Every structure is written in C-alpha cells, then in structure tokens.
C-alpha cells in the first residue's frame, strides 16, 4: 500500500484526501482537510491538545496513523457547534472563563464530551480524572472543572 | 522529535497467521494502539520498513474470565477496557489499581496492555501486578505457540522474549487464592509521569498468618523484579508492623536501580522499602475484609 485516495468521515462530512501510510491523522485533518481545530503541541501523547474522537473514543491524533482512521467516524471540535450555536460544553467553557490562550481548549472540550456522554453528573473529582490526559498551561484547571459542572448542568436540563 | 514519520509499507491483515508471517524484528513492526510505536518512530528510535496493524484482525479485543477460572485478555484489549471490565473490577483489583495509576484517558483508550508489556520498559505499571499474580504470556510464531511466565518475558530494558517472527496473542492470569489481598503503589514526579518506583503485592492470609506473598517492584532494575527475600521473610509470619518492616527492608536488596532524570539510585532503593512496606500493610488489611 502506498499513496491512495482515502475517504474520511469527519463531523459527519465525507472528505477524500491523498494520503500515504506514514501520514498522521493530525496532519491530514489540519493540512489536507483544512480542519485546524485539533492542535498540535507535544506530538507525544503528553498534552492531549490534539484529541479527537474516533468512533467515540478519545484519541491522540498526533499518534494515530491516518490510514487507520479511514472510514471511521471522526469528531473534531469543529463538529461540536450546531451552526452558529455553540455546543453547551463550548458555551460553558466561555462563560466560566475556562479559555485563556485557548490552545488546550479543543482537546479539553472533546474529553469533556466523552465524560458527559458516559456520566451526566460527574463530581469535580471525576471531572479531573476524565481530563487528566489534557494539559493546560494557563488556567490552573479550576475554571475548566467549573466549566464541566456548568456544561453538565445545562445538558441535564436538555440544553 | 521529528514532525513527520519516515515512509514505510503498511499492512492490515485480517488473520493472526498473516500477521505472524509478516513480522520481522525491528524491520517489520506490529502496530497495536500505536501509542508507543508511533512515538518511537517520530523519534527515529524505531524505523521500520513495514508496519503490520493488528487492528483489522477480529477477536483480539477480549477481556474475559471470572474469579475461579482466571482472567484472559487479547492483544487488542485496551488499558481502558481492562480497567472498566466487570471481571477485573470484581476479581483482579490489583490490575485495576495499577491501570488507574496511568491517568491519561486517551493513552488508556488507545494503548493496549499487551503493547505496554511489549515495550519492555522497567517502569511499566502493568508488569508488576502481573508478576505478583503469576501471569503467563502466550506467544505465537508461524508454526508454534508457547506460553511463558511473565518473568521470563522481560529480558532487559526494551527487550522481551518475543522472537523476531513472533507476536504476543494473550495474557493469562490464574485465579487468585481465597484469603488474598493486594495493593499497588506508584511513586512518580507528577501523577501523569511514569514511575520512579512502583510495587505490587499479593498476600494470602490463613489463620491470621501470611501463607503466601508475592512482591514485584518496577523501575529499579533493567526489568521488573520479584523481591524474593522479602517474600520469604514475611511468609509464615503474622503480618504486623514488625514483620512488615523487616520484610520491606529486604525488598531493597532486589533493587539495582540507576540514577536518571527522575531519581537517584539511592533514593529509588530507599523508596522500594517504603512502597513495599505500605503495599504489604494495605494488602494485609484488604485480605482481612
Ligand atoms: C502520555 C502517556 C503516559 C503514559 N503513562 C504510562 C504510565 O504511567 N505507566 C505505564 O506503564 N505506561 C504508560 N504509558 C505507556 C503506554 O501504556 C503504552 O505506550 C501503551 O500501552 C502501548 O500500547 P499500544 O497498544 O499503543 O502499543 P504500540 O505502540 O502499538 O506497540 C508498542 C510496541 O510493542 C509492539 N507490539 C505491540 N503489540 C504487540 C504484540 N501483540 N506482539 C508483539 N509485539 C507487539 C509494537 O511493535 C511496538 O514496538 C504512557 C504513554 C503515554 C503516551
Ligand atoms: S499533540 Fe498530541 S498529545 Fe500533545
Ligand atoms: S488556556 Fe492556554 S493552555 Fe489552556
């Protein structure tokens, strides 16, 4: 298998991209498909800023060979909002002041989604555990955990 | 660290047989979750000509068993899957406690337990509990299948007993004796870092005495090691402050640590004693309830 035209399903949309086996998912998303929401920082699994969901599973796009994600359902931060309406998790990050430089935010939001899909009413401790694979160098995390609580509240009310 | 990987040929077979026929040491590498392999390829520590994915082989992602028949998991069973599995929660708490000390959810969702073992880092948090529980590793070659104790699987830093044309297919954990209790301890710089020292303890109590003890420590030698002298010292004893203190002092003798960015050798040796003491204490308490 060398160069091929591969089909990716990202945020419900299909994209064709010319890829080679050694290409990483983060690069295909950002450079081939043009979705720059997932951020590249450490490239080593340490920071979680590149987190996307692949078939619902939180994954480091910096350590995923793009070829292994073909045909799977990929969800990135761009797929969270509904048109111009932010997803309740995004809204919660904004109103809680959980975004400073914003570099960690896409990954934080994706990990929060995984948590709230499994556990709609997490404790602060559970929120911290769920976000342990995402580093933030700005906020000190308190407001991020606040945002998870706010988001959980809105989503339980059906928002 | 390089931004891009060097090119390689990629294979996604659908049977184990095809995988085994392809693998060839460092030249042809197996891909499980890719957490470690892709990272090492970025660092050019491994530059394979071919990468063979296990991901399209059906039926490798199982975690099954029960308290009396033992536990088995396959080459694609992720750390997260094992951590959340009912049988592990009910009967193999030691393994669950160890996995819970790997904090990154993404790492546990992508990374397999067998991949973690194949990396053969002495800092593995998965190895010490498997040493303590007497697990076996199933290894498959083109025309052969063998099962070896986990202690023979780890050979040196980054080196396992897997032959160049073999892969690991399964880990088998025997059922644990009744009256047993366990504990896993990890000391690290930050919660998300790998261990400076870790320790797994499994003790079996009968008539108030320690009938059996298995103690494994990690990050203090080229491979995880059993603290056999400490095990012998505690066996047959009542598990009290004095006996635990004496046994844990002997545990440090199993350690031949190095100094690195995470700790000095001296500190590691001292921490083996502390971690084993705390783990023995906790395991004894848990065995009694
Ligand atoms: C941020 C981060 C934090 C981490 N923290 C910890 C920690 O605290 N404690 C800890 O113990 N670990 C930790 N790890 C390591 C992690 O657990 C392993 O890297 C991961 O589990 C490897 O599994 P994998 O499926 O991704 O393996 P891969 O990367 O796919 O494979 C790893 C290696 O094993 C080989 N291999 C894989 N499967 C087989 C098989 N079935 N047969 C033969 N060879 C095989 C591959 O060829 C490769 O060389 C951490 C990793 C990251 C990125
Ligand atoms: S960029 Fe992927 S984990 Fe940091
Ligand atoms: S807001 Fe800057 S890294 Fe989190």
């Amino acid at each position: 298998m060398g160069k091929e035209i591969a089909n990716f399903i990202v945020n419900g949309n299909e994209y064709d991209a010319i890829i080679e086996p050694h290409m990483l998912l983060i690069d295909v998303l950002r450079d081939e498909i043009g979705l720059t929401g997932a951020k590249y920082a450490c490239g080593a699994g340490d920071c979680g800023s590149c987190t996307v969901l692949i078939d619902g599973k939180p994954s480091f796009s910096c350590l995923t060979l793009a070829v292994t994600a073909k045909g799977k359902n990929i969800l990135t931060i761009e797929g969270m909002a509904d048109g111009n309406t932010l997803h309740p998790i995004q809204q919660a990050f904004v109103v809680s002041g959980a975004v400073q430089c914003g570099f960690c935010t896409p990954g934080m939001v994706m990990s929060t989604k995984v948590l709230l899909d499994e556990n709609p009413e997490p404790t602060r401790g559970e929120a911290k555990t769920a976000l342990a694979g995402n580093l933030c160098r700005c906020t000190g995390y308190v407001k991020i955990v606040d945002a998870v609580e706010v988001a959980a509240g809105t989503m339980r009310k059906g928002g | 660290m390089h931004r891009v990987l060097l090119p390689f040929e990629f294979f996604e077979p659908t049977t184990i047989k095809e995988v085994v026929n392809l693998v060839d040491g460092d030249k042809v590498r197996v891909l499980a979750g890719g957490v470690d392999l892709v990272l090492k390829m970025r660092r050019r520590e491994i530059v394979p000509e071919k990468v063979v994915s296990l991901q399209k082989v059906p039926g490798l992602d199982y975690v099954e068993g029960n308290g009396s028949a033992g536990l088995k998991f396959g080459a694609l069973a992720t750390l997260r899957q094992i951590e959340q599995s009912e049988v592990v929660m009910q009967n193999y708490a030691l393994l669950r406690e160890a996995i819970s000390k790997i904090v990154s959810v993404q790492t546990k969702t992508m990374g397999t337990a067998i991949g973690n073992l194949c990396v053969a880092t002495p800092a593995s948090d998965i190895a010490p509990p498997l040493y303590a529980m007497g697990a076996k590793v199933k290894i498959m070659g083109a025309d052969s299948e063998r099962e070896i104790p986990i202690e023979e699987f780890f050979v040196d830093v980054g080196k396992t007993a897997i032959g160049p044309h073999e892969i690991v297919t399964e880990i088998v954990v025997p059922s644990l004796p009744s009256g047993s209790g366990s504990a896993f301890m990890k000391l690290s710089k930050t919660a998300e870092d790998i261990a400076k020292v870790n320790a797994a303890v499994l003790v079996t109590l009968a008539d108030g005495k320690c009938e059996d003890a298995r103690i494994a420590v990690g990050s203090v030698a080229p491979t995880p090691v059993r603290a056999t002298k400490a095990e012998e010292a505690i066996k047959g004893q009542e598990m009290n402050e004095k006996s635990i203190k004496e046994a844990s002092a002997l545990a440090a003798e199993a350690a031949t640590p190095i100094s690195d960015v995470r700790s000095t050798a001296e500190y590691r040796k001292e921490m083996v004693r502390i971690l084993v003491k705390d783990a023995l204490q906790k395991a004894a308490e848990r065995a009694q309830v």
Side-chain angles (χ1 to χ4, degrees), chain B residues 99-128:
Chain B
I99 297 175
S100 77
K101 297 290 190 290
I102 303 177
V103 299
S104 157
V105 176
Q106 298 91 322
T107 300
K108 291 192 280 193
T109 306
M110 289 177 75
T112 62
I114 289 182
N116 174 295
L117 298 171
C118 290
V119 172
T121 162
S124 166
D125 289 320
I126 309 308

Side-chain angles (χ1 to χ4, degrees), chain A residues 1 21-22 24 26-27 30-31 40 42-45 48 51 57-60 62-65 67-68 70 72 111 114 118 129-135, chain B residues 1-12 31 33-36 38-39 41-43 51 53 55-56 80 84 103-110 192:
Chain A
M1 253 196 278
H22 68 280
L24 298 163
I26 180 109
D27 296 327
R30 294 178 57 89
D31 301 341
Y40 178 87
C42 70
T51 304
K57 299 194 178 95
S59 309
F60 299 124
C62 74
L63 295 178
T64 300
L65 299 179
V67 61
T68 64
K70 283 190 303 188
K72 294 185 180 165
S111 289
V114 173
E118 283 174 10
T129 303
L131 297 178
N134 295 77
L135 300 186
Chain B
M1 176 97 83
H2 295 260
R3 187 71 178 77
V4 293
L5 304 182
L6 293 174
F8 51 83
E9 249 188 291
F10 185 66
F11 297 85
E12 281 184 304
L31 173 88
V35 174
D36 190 77
V38 175
L39 181 57
M41 286 167 68
R42 288 198 108 122
R43 293 197 187 129
V51 171
S53 168
Q55 293 173 9
K56 289 273 161 78
R80 188 93 174 128
Q84 294 182 334
V103 299
S104 157
V105 176
Q106 298 91 322
T107 300
K108 291 192 280 193
T109 306
M110 289 177 75
E192 62 265 33

Side-chain angles (χ1 to χ4, degrees), chain B residues 135-148:
Chain B
K136 294 215 161 65
V137 184
K138 266 198 192 162
I139 301 176
M140 195 186 264
D143 321 290
S144 60
E145 194 172 9
R146 57 196 179 108
E147 196 176 284
I148 61 170

Side-chain angles (χ1 to χ4, degrees), chain A residues 39-43 45-50 60 62:
Chain A
K39 299 287 178 262
Y40 178 87
C42 70
D46 288 314
C47 76
S49 70
C50 66
F60 299 124
C62 74

Side-chain angles (χ1 to χ4, degrees), chain A residues 99-104 136-139:
Chain A
V99 183
Q100 287 189 22
C101 81
F103 212 80
C104 70
C136 176
R137 297 293 77 170
C138 302
T139 64

